[in-house]
Amino acid sequence: MEIVSAIEMERDWVKEVKEFDESKMGVQGLLASGVTTIPRIFIHPPENLSDLKPSSMHFEIPVIDLSIANRSKVIDQIKESFSTWGFFQVINHGIPMQDIEDTIKAFKSFHEQPKEIKSEYVWDQKVSYYSNFNIMWSKAVNWKDSLRVFTSPNPPKLETIPSACRKEVMQWDEYMKGLCGTLMELMCEGLGMNTNRLKELSCLDMRKFVCHYYPYCPQPDLTLGLPAHTYRGVLTLLLQNEVSGLQIKYGDEWVEVKPIHGAIIVNVGDLLQIFTNDQFKSVEHRVLANACKESRVSAAVIFNPGKRGESDIYGPLTELLSTENPTLYRNFTIPEILKQGLTDDSSSKAIVDLFRLNCNDNAK
């Protein structure tokens, strides 16, 4: 009887998830319907909820000012931040504050439109509105909605991008491409490489824009905005509004990334950790369910290599390897990653584990 009951409960859970997904209302629509408790499909397992409070150690992730005239100081700060934290916030990056504020406003405006408008973009190939990626295979549904646009190398037709944020999506993509190019040059210089090394690997060429919207949650202790994960790409540049929620793993502690008006958060992806042979760290991060009445909005641009053929080989960069610093990873191709079913850039299954060599391999 217990087995039958468990099967029935699983069947009911799948049915509820499917109904929510097919309703196209998203979490914002669910909240607008007047719910005061979260549906059970949003309740995460206890292991995801046991340590939601940030560290009491008063850690803060590094903040790097790009306006500092001392280039070598900035380079050293980037190298130190990526070696220890895997994250930093960058300020005075040259992007006009008015454009930043208008961008956040436009993204928020899209997500607060009626579902009839947003549902036009549900799971389109290049422009997608959705609540959760791989929703039917998740242990629990996350309390957030998302807009995803593949902006490069083959951008969508402008008319297919939601009119509420069409101009802002493409403008923000250009801003982030420029800023990321600058950061990549500084990173390469800090590693003792040709400043164009990552650009030559086509690391600026494949870009995906993702705007997450985290509305108020009536029971934030029972769910998450995004569970712990790393990004599989090279770099992610993220803008957030003034509502907090992002936490990163620093040692055994979860540290809150406190919003700084106009700052851009930069974090190492799994591929960059591999390229640098573990000199830079891709660390876990997560987003708590939003306990504030004001919605949290974040906009990420994820950078990946654009060269994706079977002959395009990736792995630790040879100029960073030596007898004292042997390779920690085997070479691979992007199609090899995709064949593993690793199609979402954010996941708890890091590709560093997939390609890491064991001690015996290094000894050969």
Side-chain angles (χ1 to χ4, degrees), residues 21 24 26 107 110-111 113 115 117-134 144-151 154-163 165 169 207-213 298 300 343-344:
D21 190 39
K24 303 179 182 179
F107 297 156
F110 166 78
H111 281 287
Q113 293 180 115
K115 77 168 187 177
I117 296 176
K118 293 182 290 187
S119 63
E120 296 177 16
Y121 306 98
V122 172
W123 293 122
D124 182 72
Q125 187 174 7
K126 290 187 176 181
V127 181
S128 301
Y129 165 70
Y130 58 97
S131 184
N132 283 228
F133 192 88
N134 286 339
K144 60 92 182 163
D145 298 323
S146 302
L147 172 67
R148 181 183 70 184
V149 182
F150 289 95
T151 55
N154 301 306
K157 294 180 180 179
L158 282 179
E159 61 269 22
T160 65
I161 302 174
S163 59
C165 56
V169 167
R207 298 188 302 280
K208 180 170 72 174
F209 164 87
V210 182
C211 174
H212 294 311
Y213 179 85
S298 70
T343 56
D344 184 22

Side-chain angles (χ1 to χ4, degrees), residues 44-52 139 224 227-228 254 286:
H44 277 249
E47 61 267 23
N48 287 356
L49 304 171
S50 60
D51 58 350
L52 294 184
K139 291 182 179 179
L224 287 166
W254 284 103
R286 67 185 182 185

